[in-house]
Amino acid sequence: MPTLSEADSRTLVAKSGITVSEWATATDPNSAVDASRAMGFPVAIKLCGNTITHKTERGLVKLSLTSDDDVRVAAETLLAATTPDDGDVELLVSTMARGDREFIAGLVRDPQFGPCVMLGIGGVLAEVFADVAFRLAPLDRLDAHELIEDLGAQAVLGSFRGQPPVNREALIDILCALGALSDDPTIVSIDLNPLIVVDGLPVAVDALVEHT
Amino acid sequence: MPRDLSSLFEPRGVVVTGVSSHPGKFGFVTLHNLLSCGYQGEVFAVGRENGTVLDQPVLASIEMLPDGAAELLVVCTPVSANEEILRAAAARGVRAVFVAAGGYSEAGDEGAAAEARLVDVANELDLVLAGPNGQGITSPPVGLCAQIVAPFPPPGRIGVASQSGNFVSAFQNYSKQTEVGISRSVSAGNAAATGIADYLEWFADDPQTTVGLCYLEGLTAGREFFERVREITMRMPVVVVKGGATSGGQLAAASHTGALASNDRIFDGMAQQAGMVRATNIESAFEAAATFATQPLPSGSGVLILTTAGGWGVVTADAVTAHRDLTLVPLPDDLLTAIDKMLPPRWSRNNPVDLAAGETRDTIPELLDMVAGHPDIDSVVQLGLGIQGNTAAMTRRGPFYPGHGLERIVGFHDRQERRYAQAAAAASINHQKPVLVASELAVTQPDNPMVAAVRETDRLCYSSADRAVTALGLLARYAAWRRARL
């Protein structure tokens, strides 16, 4: 299935009310530096294109860049890593969301039950622990509330390492927004991976939309 | 509108095809079971042999059936005969058909085509079609046992619909063992025209049924099932046990969400969202259904544990504490003060309320009523009963009985056990809260007077505190789901 670029994916989910980290696109190292300065360091830079999906595995994500030089080097490296298969690419600059907790949320279409919204504990071990739960879309706020309660690691939702509890209403907003996006028949799946919890509020720092 | 299945479960008269004098054949066994379990309607046999089977005249064809005398047809004839049989039966007033015979879609393409034709004929004639390839149906409240297997369970409130006939039998076996009865049961077989959701919908409106119990393996229209079941669960709890829970089935998708979307996780989310009560195995599914059928719903998560002595209370407190849907309530001050007046000071002074063997003859009945009546307590688990009855049994079987003044103490012990069991049921009914009695004696010594008396109150005597807590947790979860949506 074709995918949207991260920039287009971010635009699509943000339009439905999902908070994404501040971001901009850049076509070359200089404009990446300008964008970084405008949003303030530290920043992350990623290669962005319609066919680019497994960015981390390919080393196409450069995190915690704190200076013009860092940004310039990272931008040049990413552009140099482009392969002909990647098609048209650009750079995506975003702020570094600060938080110790990560969730993964998404939308899939199950052949048996139709569109389903997922919520799980995120991070690099997300697929190992597989602490995830599903609800059929669309879901109402009560369904979303119960979906959150289905996670095994409930302690992650409370106060954590000096950070406030996860704002459940904000998380419910995201889950309901994902569910509502199932009305668009051209959307095959959505990944918000990860959602980083910043001062209690979940913020999507990456988005991937698969479409027909 | 739900399909009207009353002619399937409460038929005025039943006719069986494929009856022969061979006691090993489905037709014979079905006829035998229909004639043996107290069904009051007329029973007719159709077969190729002249004369009688089980003293029942055998009709040579279904055309000989008196018009309107049988509403239910049980088909034990082979595939090739059955379309014509359906037409002839409908012409004689039959309204519902259970096809026990196999050889349909489970047997390959030819069978699948025959099954499709059977469905067409049933639809054309407006017949309710159950099966094919199923073990049968029962309606214990009307003594109807139209199935090819044992046992026939006692009448009760649990409506069973299963995609496996053998699990119908398993639920019936548990029903017989525990004496918590069944209202209806059906082995859905290939579910060609009538599926689990159809049965559950009818059960929800059936005055005999207060809880649905189903075994599911596969669903052909998952979304529709979900939409229908979440309407049903607003009116009636539905306990489900799902087979094939570990099969993979991850979606082929580029997304991580797709990689994590196993069949079981999505089924589980669907079940929770629809308000179904999902049990992890057949035993706990039956026990959950039996609990829904015999106990009021709790109005909250708070549990109080009563125990006569020992470690029972400790491990049960652990189980309640670890349970996401239950809370071990701190013992309210007014109860502490009141219990202080009833017991020597060595009692636990906490929840679990451990009597530390300090009770006298009226303590347990009084305590049960007092704690069940307290507004902070939503449900009660009573442990450690049956000790006196066990002692009495040993005494009665010993070499000194009767004599030595033993009759009096044996009688006292037995009476006390009965009082405890009755007090637990009375407290539950008076205060409309679940009061569960758990003891391993339920299986190790089912003739213990406490166990027997719990059963006489039409309730389940749980064979361990863990199992009581599991069942109670499922009640609490369903009650919370429903409260949130009322």
Side-chain angles (χ1 to χ4, degrees):
Chain A
M1 290 284 175
T3 52
L4 298 181
S5 70
E6 179 177 339
D8 290 344
S9 297
R10 279 173 172 259
T11 303
L12 186 146
V13 300
K15 212 183 285 178
S16 77
I18 292 167
T19 306
V20 297
S21 59
E22 190 184 344
W23 63 284
T25 53
T27 50
D28 56 55
N30 281 337
S31 55
V33 169
D34 291 344
S36 304
R37 281 184 184 167
M39 66 184 69
F41 293 102
V43 296
I45 303 191
K46 302 178 242 187
L47 200 63
C48 174
N50 286 344
T51 63
I52 294 174
T53 51
H54 294 101
K55 291 187 285 273
T56 307
E57 290 86 335
R58 284 183 59 193
L60 301 181
V61 180
K62 303 291 178 191
L63 299 174
S64 301
L65 309 173
T66 55
S67 68
D68 291 2
D69 283 350
D70 280 0
V71 169
R72 200 179 309 279
V73 170
E76 284 163 357
T77 311
L78 291 177
L79 290 170
T82 307
T83 68
D85 288 346
D86 292 336
D88 291 340
V89 294
E90 57 187 346
L91 297 163
L92 189 141
V93 183
S94 66
T95 52
M96 287 296 300
R98 299 212 168 274
D100 293 326
R101 285 171 290 186
E102 292 185 9
F103 292 98
I104 173 171
L107 175 75
V108 285
R109 292 187 189 274
D110 180 70
Q112 188 65 252
F113 292 105
C116 300
V117 171
M118 185 194 80
L119 175 68
I121 303 295
V124 288
L125 295 178
E127 287 182 33
V128 176
F129 292 118
D131 186 358
V132 300
F134 287 81
R135 288 293 183 275
L136 272 51
L139 20 64
D140 62 25
R141 298 190 73 79
L142 187 53
D143 294 329
H145 172 79
E146 290 170 346
L147 170 53
I148 297 169
E149 300 222 308
D150 259 9
L151 294 180
Q154 287 292 304
V156 172
L157 295 151
S159 300
F160 181 81
R161 291 166 60 119
Q163 297 158 34
V166 173
N167 184 322
R168 287 187 190 234
E169 294 305 313
L171 194 49
I172 288 170
D173 288 341
I174 291 172
L175 297 169
C176 290
L178 283 170
L181 283 168
S182 68
D183 284 347
D184 180 345
T186 67
I187 296 176
V188 174
S189 78
I190 301 174
D191 258 357
L192 304 176
N193 182 27
L195 288 163
I196 294 182
V197 180
V198 182
D199 296 328
L201 290 170
V203 177
V205 304
D206 198 353
L208 175 66
V209 174
E210 238 185 323
H211 62 92
T212 50
Chain B
M1 273 297 282
R3 291 205 73 180
D4 181 10
L5 306 182
S6 51
S7 42
L8 195 59
F9 291 108
E10 293 208 350
R12 183 187 68 251
V14 185
V15 55
V16 186
T17 64
V19 171
S20 78
S21 56
H22 190 311
K25 299 279 191 191
F26 285 172
F28 180 98
V29 177
T30 304
L31 182 66
H32 174 273
N33 293 349
L34 272 169
L35 294 170
S36 307
C37 296
Y39 176 60
Q40 296 297 307
E42 276 195 280
V43 175
F44 302 90
V46 177
R48 286 190 297 200
E49 298 169 28
N50 292 324
T52 64
V53 171
L54 295 169
D55 306 329
Q56 200 72 17
V58 177
L59 309 178
S61 85
I62 207 139
E63 279 89 3
M64 296 168 69
L65 188 70
D67 195 26
E71 274 187 309
L72 171 64
L73 164 68
V74 182
V75 176
C76 297
T77 28
V79 173
S80 58
N82 293 338
E83 287 158 49
E84 280 318 302
I85 286 175
L86 257 58
R87 291 189 188 283
R92 306 309 291 163
V94 161
R95 307 294 323 127
V97 183
F98 188 93
V99 181
Y104 286 95
S105 62
E106 82 286 358
D109 291 344
E110 218 171 291
E115 187 168 304
R117 288 196 303 275
L118 199 68
V119 171
D120 287 343
V121 170
N123 287 341
E124 179 197 324
L125 302 170
D126 199 22
L127 290 170
V128 171
L129 174 65
N133 188 34
Q135 293 191 350
I137 54 176
T138 73
S139 272
V142 294
L144 179 76
C145 184
Q147 64 181 13
I148 57 177
V149 288
F152 185 62
R157 299 287 180 193
I158 303 172
V160 176
S162 173
Q163 289 183 338
S164 155
N166 288 316
F167 284 144
V168 174
S169 302
F171 292 137
Q172 291 172 339
N173 285 327
Y174 286 122
S175 171
K176 272 194 85 91
Q177 184 210 2
T178 60
E179 295 173 31
V180 176
I182 284 174
S183 57
R184 324 286 185 187
S185 72
V186 56
S187 154
N190 297 350
T194 313
I196 299 294
D198 296 305
Y199 295 117
L200 291 174
E201 260 169 12
W202 189 80
F203 291 164
D205 292 330
D206 173 22
Q208 296 288 343
T209 303
T210 56
V211 56
L213 172 58
C214 59
Y215 171 77
L216 290 177
E217 257 170 36
L219 291 169
T220 46
R223 191 77 190 197
E224 185 202 323
F225 181 82
F226 166 73
E227 300 292 352
R228 291 172 71 184
V229 167
R230 73 167 163 183
E231 298 296 320
I232 295 167
T233 50
M234 288 301 292
R235 292 177 285 150
M236 174 187 79
V238 173
V239 179
V240 61
V241 57
K242 171 78 164 66
T246 53
S247 68
Q250 272 81 356
L251 299 177
S255 62
H256 289 86
T257 306
L260 287 160
S262 69
N263 287 345
D264 188 59
R265 292 192 187 116
I266 289 178
F267 179 86
D268 195 71
M270 181 283 295
Q272 307 281 0
Q273 194 172 359
M276 295 180 99
V277 175
R278 189 173 181 196
T280 50
N281 56 55
I282 295 293
E283 300 96 302
S284 64
F286 178 80
E287 289 181 356
T291 308
F292 278 109
T294 58
Q295 299 273 357
L297 282 182
S299 48
S301 64
V303 180
L304 185 122
I305 300 163
L306 271 182
T307 179
T308 52
W312 288 305
V314 180
V315 298
T316 309
D318 290 343
V320 169
T321 304
H323 199 294
R324 55 173 283 186
D325 299 304
L326 299 173
T327 319
L328 191 70
V329 284
L331 188 65
D333 287 342
D334 53 338
L335 275 183
L336 188 139
T337 308
I339 300 172
D340 256 341
K341 292 185 186 133
M342 301 165 69
L343 286 169
R346 65 175 184 273
W347 76 282
S348 63
R349 300 176 59 81
N350 208 335
N351 182 12
V353 174
D354 179 349
L355 312 187
E359 73 270 22
T360 55
R361 65 186 299 146
D362 296 323
T363 312
I364 290 172
E366 285 172 16
L367 261 179
L368 275 164
D369 186 68
M370 184 191 298
V371 300
H374 196 282
D376 292 358
I377 290 162
D378 302 308
S379 50
V380 178
V381 177
Q382 169 74 60
L383 310 167
L385 300 183
I387 298 173
Q388 287 175 263
N390 214 355
T391 303
M394 190 169 176
T395 307
R396 197 185 289 111
R397 288 184 203 115
F400 301 104
Y401 186 91
H404 306 272
L406 293 175
E407 298 94 323
R408 214 172 139 208
I409 191 72
V410 162
F412 172 73
H413 285 327
D414 286 352
R415 281 194 305 280
Q416 283 296 94
E417 295 291 7
R418 302 185 64 78
R419 280 189 71 203
Y420 302 152
Q422 286 158 1
S428 171
I429 291 163
N430 291 343
H431 302 292
Q432 280 302 296
K433 293 178 188 178
V435 177
L436 279 61
V437 177
S439 167
E440 69 282 357
L441 294 165
V443 287
T444 60
Q445 197 194 74
D447 60 347
N448 182 287
M450 180 278 290
V451 177
V454 168
R455 290 181 177 161
E456 279 166 27
T457 65
D458 295 326
R459 285 162 187 249
L460 191 59
C461 186
Y462 299 82
S463 60
S464 74
D466 268 355
R467 289 167 81 148
V469 168
T470 298
L472 190 55
L474 292 171
L475 252 67
R477 167 165 282 225
Y478 171 73
W481 181 90
R482 198 157 165 272
R483 260 197 318 277
R485 285 165 174 81
L486 281 178

